[in-house]
Amino acid sequence: MPLLTVRGLAKSYGATTVLRGVDLDLHAGEVHVLAGENGAGKSTLIKALAGALDDYGGDLRIDAHTVRFDSPAEARRAGVATIFQELSLVGSMSVTDNLFLGRERTGWFGVRHAEQRALAAAHLARLAIAIDPDAIVEELTLAQRQLVEIAKALLDHDHPVRVVVMDEPSSALGEQEAEALFAQVARLRAAGVAVLYVSHKMEEVYRLADRITALRDGVVAASAPAAELPRAALVAAMLGHALEEQTDAGTHAATEGERLRVEGLTVEARAGGRRELEGVSFRVAPGEIVAVTGLAGSGARTLLHAVFGSLSDQQVRGAVWLDGVAFDARSPGAALARGLALVSDDRREAGILPDRSVVENAALAALDRFTALGLVDERRLRKTVLEGLSEMDVRAPSPDVEVSALSGGNQQKVLLTRCLLTKPRVLLLDEPTRGVDIGSKHEIHARLRALCAGGAAVVAITTEAEELLALADRVVVLHRGRVAATVQVRGEDPTAVRRAVLAAAMGSEVAA
């Protein structure tokens, strides 16, 4: 008998129906992967299970008993823990305080801080998460914050976890951190916990899944044991058609010349210790896509922000040239004015304005193009923005709804639209397809190739091996803030490329 049963789940927002009679069974000791395009209904289903949504049709049952959670706390008391893709941590608080937020251990004299810290340290150690329980969350990397979010959901208090819902939990994790996550999933399975795991990464899906359910347009398009649902059949179920093979080789071949050059870029650490970057140099030609990758702490993210001028609180040395002209990136505004644009990895903290509309979010960086004598040509701006959103296939009930109402993947496409509207000569991307479904990833790659075909250059951080092979011409591999290797991708053997990148990322190729 299933541990948790979903029957006939239905939900509409006004005239838009997002779930249409969805059935789903979660069994103890099973990893059930939920797949589907952005906007297929996955997030709404997760919210119903998590207690963040209770005005839906249909039934939820645990051990055959009908339940309807009116809050996340009630769902947690019933043994259902949810790890959302967008983090819910309080940045100014410590890891320990976040783990116990809303469920503090108290006594006669208030919160028992020492007890909480000891419990937090033991819990993190049990999960093999090497993070100081006293660390302030806002000082952690995005990947570390994702691990804290996972630890928070799995912390047993008075109500043991029976069902864990994970919404793209590896989207911000590097390869080593993802392995630690997969170990936790295996531990939960072995302990008899039912795991509902949402992922867009095909390698991850088939590594973890016992069973797979695909949603399309709010209905179940396919549901079967993983061994009985081949990858091509899963993609066809998600999209409603087979995905054409990408023939990207040669479609964005780099031209002669130099669009971007970075020489000796060095970034001092914020609070002493090892430099975040040391003597990093590389070049990018017009029409070229260069990937930057490395393990956690490699400095890849720092590199993009140093080039873009968004590290005003740190000492940055080195030189940047754009089209052969020296460029001092003093601020993001100066970078945008010179033809650089950046899509950050953390769309919630450094990307979207959640209470502003889709159109307003997309238009932000391009306002100068439509402003004369202090007045914005709103009609021309809106027309251009709507065309850009359409080209990126942003799916929204209306372009005037708050962007927070969109799925994570569609929010990502709004941010990409924003940057493309600036007509950049160099586009800097930090995990450009994080949390994006396979169809949208295909579309984003196509847009990046089209941008390069027009002479622009792209520098993209990616920790996904499949994306690296599908998108990049070359890979710059960083290790502890230094360039460990530059690996040619286009025209090379994929297995050899992956081995070379992994070896360099682990430090094997770092010069003495």
Side-chain angles (χ1 to χ4, degrees), residues 43-240:
S43 295
T44 303
L45 172 58
I46 289 170
K47 288 177 182 178
L49 297 179
L53 174 74
D54 65 357
D55 57 338
Y56 54 81
D59 294 313
L60 302 182
R61 302 170 196 159
I62 295 181
D63 294 330
H65 300 292
T66 299
V67 296
R68 185 173 290 255
F69 308 129
D70 61 10
S71 69
E74 185 176 346
R76 187 61 186 79
R77 286 193 292 270
V80 179
T82 301
I83 302 164
F84 289 102
Q85 183 180 351
E86 302 298 345
L87 307 185
S88 61
L89 305 175
V90 179
S92 60
M93 296 173 64
S94 71
V95 170
T96 295
D97 288 340
N98 269 278
L99 293 181
F100 286 89
L101 186 62
R103 44 190 181 179
E104 291 81 0
R105 299 283 175 140
T106 58
W108 288 105
F109 301 102
V111 176
R112 301 200 295 266
H113 293 287
E115 178 183 339
Q116 287 189 170
R117 190 196 182 283
L119 289 171
H123 181 57
L124 292 169
R126 186 165 55 251
L127 297 179
I129 296 175
I131 295 176
D132 184 352
D134 294 324
I136 301 302
V137 164
E138 65 188 5
E139 297 176 358
L140 300 176
T141 66
L142 181 59
Q144 289 174 317
R145 280 178 266 162
Q146 179 72 75
L147 292 174
V148 173
E149 188 82 39
I150 292 168
K152 180 179 178 180
L154 298 181
L155 183 59
D156 293 345
H157 292 277
D158 300 321
H159 307 284
V161 174
R162 302 184 67 199
V163 176
V164 173
V165 181
M166 297 184 172
D167 185 7
E168 292 282 348
S170 70
S171 62
L173 304 184
E175 189 170 345
Q176 285 184 323
E177 294 151 325
E179 288 298 326
L181 167 67
F182 300 155
Q184 298 310 318
V185 173
R187 183 182 69 84
L188 292 168
R189 176 198 276 136
V193 174
V195 179
L196 182 65
Y197 193 103
V198 179
S199 178
H200 295 306
K201 301 177 182 179
M202 285 294 164
E203 287 186 350
E204 192 171 280
V205 167
Y206 284 95
R207 174 173 177 171
L208 298 178
D210 297 303
R211 172 172 286 273
I212 303 171
T213 292
L215 296 184
R216 185 176 75 249
D217 296 330
V219 300
V220 174
S223 187
E228 299 175 12
L229 190 62
R231 183 177 300 203
L234 173 58
V235 171
M238 290 165 54
L239 303 181

Side-chain angles (χ1 to χ4, degrees), residues 102-420:
R103 44 190 181 179
E104 291 81 0
R105 299 283 175 140
T106 58
W108 288 105
F109 301 102
V111 176
R112 301 200 295 266
H113 293 287
E115 178 183 339
Q116 287 189 170
R117 190 196 182 283
L119 289 171
H123 181 57
L124 292 169
R126 186 165 55 251
L127 297 179
I129 296 175
I131 295 176
D132 184 352
D134 294 324
I136 301 302
V137 164
E138 65 188 5
E139 297 176 358
L140 300 176
T141 66
L142 181 59
Q144 289 174 317
R145 280 178 266 162
Q146 179 72 75
L147 292 174
V148 173
E149 188 82 39
I150 292 168
K152 180 179 178 180
L154 298 181
L155 183 59
D156 293 345
H157 292 277
D158 300 321
H159 307 284
V161 174
R162 302 184 67 199
V163 176
V164 173
V165 181
M166 297 184 172
D167 185 7
E168 292 282 348
S170 70
S171 62
L173 304 184
E175 189 170 345
Q176 285 184 323
E177 294 151 325
E179 288 298 326
L181 167 67
F182 300 155
Q184 298 310 318
V185 173
R187 183 182 69 84
L188 292 168
R189 176 198 276 136
V193 174
V195 179
L196 182 65
Y197 193 103
V198 179
S199 178
H200 295 306
K201 301 177 182 179
M202 285 294 164
E203 287 186 350
E204 192 171 280
V205 167
Y206 284 95
R207 174 173 177 171
L208 298 178
D210 297 303
R211 172 172 286 273
I212 303 171
T213 292
L215 296 184
R216 185 176 75 249
D217 296 330
V219 300
V220 174
S223 187
E228 299 175 12
L229 190 62
R231 183 177 300 203
L234 173 58
V235 171
M238 290 165 54
L239 303 181
H241 57 82
L243 189 64
E244 295 180 3
E245 288 292 323
Q246 290 183 332
T247 55
D248 48 83
T251 59
H252 59 277
T255 61
E256 294 296 325
E258 177 184 279
R259 179 68 76 205
L260 176 72
R261 174 157 51 109
V262 175
E263 289 286 349
L265 198 61
T266 298
V267 177
E268 300 293 340
R270 286 185 171 87
R274 179 176 59 83
R275 290 167 173 166
E276 294 190 30
L277 289 178
E278 186 166 359
V280 171
S281 301
F282 65 95
R283 302 183 183 197
V284 189
E288 187 177 27
I289 298 178
V290 171
V292 180
T293 194
L295 303 180
S298 67
R301 190 154 293 115
T302 301
L303 171 60
L304 291 196
H305 285 280
V307 171
F308 193 61
S310 49
L311 294 181
S312 58
D313 60 334
Q314 290 179 263
Q315 184 180 352
V316 180
R317 299 194 307 277
V320 177
W321 283 266
L322 185 63
D323 291 329
V325 179
F327 168 60
D328 185 7
R330 296 180 180 274
S331 70
L336 283 168
R338 289 291 302 273
L340 282 83
L342 169 69
V343 177
S344 173
D345 67 316
D346 191 345
R347 56 178 169 259
R348 188 171 190 177
E349 293 296 324
I352 65 168
L353 300 178
D355 58 349
R356 305 298 289 271
S357 74
V358 173
V359 167
E360 289 173 311
N361 269 273
L364 278 177
L367 287 175
D368 287 349
R369 286 180 53 204
F370 302 91
T371 302
L373 301 176
L375 298 176
V376 178
D377 186 341
E378 294 187 6
R379 179 178 296 180
R380 191 164 64 94
L381 172 62
R382 183 178 177 86
K383 179 177 182 294
T384 303
V385 169
L386 291 177
E387 289 173 352
L389 293 170
S390 177
E391 290 176 5
M392 191 58 75
D393 192 28
V394 175
R395 301 181 184 183
S398 161
D400 297 308
V401 301
E402 291 184 357
V403 74
S404 57
L406 274 57
S407 66
N410 278 301
Q411 291 177 10
Q412 186 74 359
K413 289 194 282 187
V414 170
L415 293 182
L416 280 165
T417 301
R418 176 196 295 174
C419 284
L420 292 175

